[in-house]
Amino acid sequence: MRSRALLCLTAAAVATAQNPFENGENWYVNPSYWASLDTSIATADGAVKATLQSMRDVPSAWWIDVKAKVYGDTTNTVEGILKDAASKPNPPLVTFIVYDVPNRDCHAKASNGEICCTYNSDGTCDYLAASDCADGLLEYRTTYIDPLVDVFSQYQNTVPIVLVIEPDSLPNLATNLGDPRCSNTATQNAYKQGIAYAINEFSSKVPKATIYLDAAHGGWLGWEDNIMKFKAILDEMNVLSKIRGFASNVANYQPVGEQCPSYDFCTNNQNQGHSCCKDPCNLQTEWNRAHNEANYVLLLQRTFSGKYVIIDTGRNGVDDMRNDCANWCNARGAGIGRVPSTNTGLNMVDAFYWLKTPGESDGCTQTLPSGAQCPRFDDFCGSQDSLGSQSGEPRSPEAGHWFDYQIKQLAANANMFPNGAQPPTAPTTPTTPTTPTTPTTPTTPTTPATPGNCVPRAKCTSSASCCGQTCYQLVSSMNDGMCMSTCSGWVCKVLGAQPPVPVPPTTSCTGAGVANYGNCLDSHCCTSSDYTCYEQSVHYAQCIPTGTCSNGWTCRVLA
């Protein structure tokens, strides 16, 4: 009994030992994301184009939503991604979403999975068939989790790995048992036994990987009875000691907001003038105190002491664009949220991170862009808040497919660099100021630092307010910059500095020419004679009119 207790303590210590994202922000950016973004960059212009270009070096998680993505040599597979990361001088951290549990997504249709407890004749899942899901669980273990363990174990000593486990699954069991597809014994066994197996296998055989379990978001589990049902499921599964914490807002649009001084700070219409009580989804009127993700963190801390949180900020840059916050599919008017960072200003929050890749569709409209009928149409993807439901909007592709119209709207509404905010404190009565003393005359006038700009990644207009760091403008359409120690892969213009003089173009060119405004990083050649391949950063170059290189680019001519 004593040795078993020690083993549990050891597992808990391993699960919570260190924030994996605290590695100098050395995080993996998948080349396949560059390829998708480049297709939209090529047809964008102005501020939208500049924002899309700046996103090329922003890391995001990679979803393992089918078994075929496990093995392979390309960066469209787990094995290929880890090979690519391991080949770098300083291998970056790679974040994966484990997402293929049997009877996946029992309360929706847009992303139903490939592994079933019982199959229909067309290969889809029969969610209503009675079974113990033994066959589906065997398939999940032997053809999905075990191969993942095999690949992860080969690279865990070389590449830092973060795993986010099965979004939406356990929250569905906590709140949607009124749906027979979720309450079916087969689905309940699939989720509880399958996810427990995954966590136990990863924690024992890939101990260097860090595990976060999906915990939906405050607009879903933020009611106390919902979070307690969720906790009861996890207690039954006996997995809490194996995970570092939870992932919230995965693939959703809930705002981060400001964290209140206490969980019940806004209850019963208290302190409604305080900015932390802002409630764009009107959740407080329904007795949900987790009206933003920052306050949902407080609820998670109350419920699961000692567990850490990562928050998906990929698409929550706008907080009040929906008529009904239950509408989760391709929300109209959404914007890119905060760039990944460990400087969250929130206790027990390891990082803001892009867990859902911005630009990938949540689900399809009833009619696909091709004109064919969507085989996995979900009513939520036809909601009044969903792109494609209004005349003049393009139809939405299937879940996970690139959605050009959406990524451009997300870029147009981006809020990637809000000023570094600390958790607010309760209002206090101001103290009586002391009698000011006569200041001494300084020998050399200095510009005082702007209050708050000692916070890393704070907004700035000049380096003088950055406490020794440099004020970089990251997107050419933005007036403000961000305090950073180094800058690469962005526009990286030092505010107040003289613009660089573009290097005169050379005339030599080899390889296939690239169309105007296309990515010429590999070919170095442009189709039009009056266009030149200018380098933006080590990761991006573009064919633009000769002599018009942006002030913030390196402007090195590639030829």
Side-chain angles (χ1 to χ4, degrees):
M1 192 73 176
R2 175 180 171 83
S3 62
R4 183 176 179 182
L6 288 174
L7 181 62
C8 290
L9 288 172
T10 302
V14 170
T16 60
Q18 182 179 355
N19 181 357
F21 295 93
E22 290 282 7
N23 67 341
E25 301 194 356
N26 180 28
W27 305 325
Y28 186 78
V29 180
N30 196 316
S32 65
Y33 186 49
W34 296 340
S36 296
L37 271 176
D38 286 346
T39 62
S40 295
I41 290 170
T43 55
D45 54 28
V48 169
K49 189 185 195 81
T51 299
L52 292 174
Q53 289 169 338
S54 74
M55 290 167 57
R56 293 186 85 256
D57 285 337
V58 179
S60 59
W62 199 76
W63 290 59
I64 319 167
D65 55 350
V66 291
K67 296 178 287 185
K69 288 185 175 181
V70 177
Y71 290 113
D73 292 325
T74 72
T75 54
N76 288 315
T77 65
V78 173
E79 186 176 26
I81 288 170
L82 291 173
K83 280 183 181 179
D84 183 46
S87 70
K88 302 182 186 305
N90 182 20
L93 178 144
V94 184
T95 300
F96 294 104
I97 310 291
V98 178
Y99 187 57
D100 206 16
V101 72
N103 281 17
R104 188 180 73 197
D105 217 354
C106 63
H107 194 57
K109 299 177 183 177
S111 51
N112 292 161
E114 66 171 350
I115 302 176
C116 302
C117 295
T118 301
Y119 288 93
N120 291 313
S121 58
D122 61 357
T124 60
C125 297
D126 182 351
Y127 285 83
L128 301 179
S131 80
D132 58 4
C133 199
D135 291 342
L137 284 166
L138 178 64
E139 182 180 353
Y140 182 64
R141 291 195 299 266
T142 58
T143 67
Y144 182 70
I145 295 299
D146 291 352
L148 283 176
V149 169
D150 174 44
V151 176
F152 291 148
S153 61
Q154 294 178 48
Y155 288 93
Q156 65 174 327
N157 293 319
T158 306
V159 179
I161 298 171
V162 163
L163 304 176
V164 175
I165 307 298
E166 298 292 354
D168 293 354
S169 298
L170 296 178
N172 271 322
L173 295 191
T175 66
N176 289 320
L177 293 185
D179 184 336
R181 297 173 299 172
C182 298
S183 61
N184 186 352
T185 300
T187 300
Q188 293 198 56
N189 285 353
Y191 290 9
K192 292 177 183 178
Q193 296 178 30
I195 292 173
Y197 180 83
I199 291 174
N200 286 322
E201 287 295 290
F202 292 144
S203 64
S204 63
K205 297 178 181 177
V206 196
K208 292 189 177 180
T210 304
I211 302 172
Y212 297 89
L213 180 62
D214 176 72
H217 54 80
W220 185 341
L221 295 183
W223 288 268
E224 291 198 32
D225 56 342
N226 285 355
I227 198 69
M228 293 312 297
K229 291 175 184 176
F230 181 63
K231 183 179 185 299
I233 292 170
L234 300 189
D235 288 341
E236 176 188 343
M237 292 168 59
N238 193 27
V239 295
L240 282 170
S241 66
K242 313 291 178 57
I243 65 174
R244 177 170 173 84
F246 299 97
S248 81
N249 199 44
V250 177
N252 214 281
Y253 301 86
Q254 296 297 110
V256 173
E258 293 183 32
Q259 193 173 83
C260 292
S262 64
Y263 172 63
D264 57 356
F265 187 72
C266 306
T267 304
N268 293 328
N269 290 318
Q270 297 181 93
N271 303 305
Q272 291 301 301
H274 199 292
S275 55
C276 79
C277 293
K278 183 180 180 182
D279 184 11
C281 292
N282 295 316
L283 293 171
Q284 294 175 50
T285 63
E286 301 176 18
W287 294 94
N288 182 336
R289 300 165 186 172
H291 52 275
N292 61 39
E293 292 305 284
N295 285 318
Y296 183 45
V297 169
L298 292 178
L299 176 60
L300 289 170
Q301 291 171 356
R302 282 164 53 99
T303 311
F304 304 99
S305 178
K307 294 302 178 185
Y308 295 82
V309 181
I310 54 176
I311 301 175
D312 189 348
T313 57
R315 304 183 301 175
N316 64 354
V318 179
D319 61 12
D320 58 354
M321 72 290 184
R322 290 176 288 181
N323 292 292
D324 183 347
C325 288
N327 293 331
W328 51 263
C329 187
N330 299 326
R332 181 184 301 104
I336 298 295
R338 305 183 194 195
V339 294
S341 175
T342 55
N343 298 307
T344 65
L346 299 174
N347 185 40
M348 304 297 283
V349 175
D350 281 345
F352 297 141
Y353 210 78
W354 290 5
L355 298 176
K356 166 76 173 183
T357 304
E360 293 184 355
S361 176
D362 292 319
C364 48
T365 44
Q366 193 161 12
T367 302
L368 292 167
S370 65
Q373 293 298 293
C374 175
R376 298 189 178 192
F377 172 66
D378 191 297
D379 289 342
F380 275 102
C381 295
S383 76
Q384 62 177 331
D385 292 317
S386 298
L387 292 173
S389 64
Q390 290 185 355
S391 60
E393 292 178 338
R395 295 161 177 155
S396 304
E398 289 198 64
H401 291 209
W402 191 252
F403 193 178
D404 177 77
Y405 185 84
Q406 183 191 49
I407 190 61
K408 288 173 179 172
Q409 187 173 94
L410 289 168
N413 299 325
N415 186 24
M416 301 195 294
F417 312 107
N419 197 10
Q422 298 297 316
T425 56
T428 58
T429 303
T431 57
T432 303
T434 58
T435 304
T437 58
T438 304
T440 57
T441 304
T443 53
T444 304
T446 58
T447 303
T450 301
N453 277 8
C454 290
V455 179
R457 291 182 176 265
K459 279 187 178 180
C460 56
T461 55
S462 77
S463 298
S465 64
C466 285
C467 299
Q469 294 187 322
T470 302
C471 183
Y472 289 104
Q473 183 186 37
L474 304 186
V475 182
S476 59
S477 61
M478 296 175 62
N479 295 323
D480 293 329
M482 179 180 289
C483 296
M484 301 174 68
S485 56
T486 59
C487 182
S488 63
W490 305 84
V491 170
C492 294
K493 174 185 176 183
V494 177
L495 292 184
Q498 293 298 316
V501 178
V503 179
T506 59
T507 55
S508 60
C509 180
T510 59
V514 173
N516 297 346
Y517 297 101
N519 181 358
C520 55
L521 185 64
D522 295 325
S523 70
H524 298 182
C525 298
C526 303
T527 302
S528 301
S529 60
D530 54 346
Y531 278 65
T532 298
C533 182
Y534 287 108
E535 182 186 69
Q536 177 201 26
S537 69
V538 295
H539 300 296
Y540 187 71
Q542 189 176 49
C543 288
I544 59 176
T546 300
T548 63
C549 184
S550 167
N551 290 342
W553 291 29
T554 65
C555 294
R556 185 166 70 94
V557 173
L558 303 181

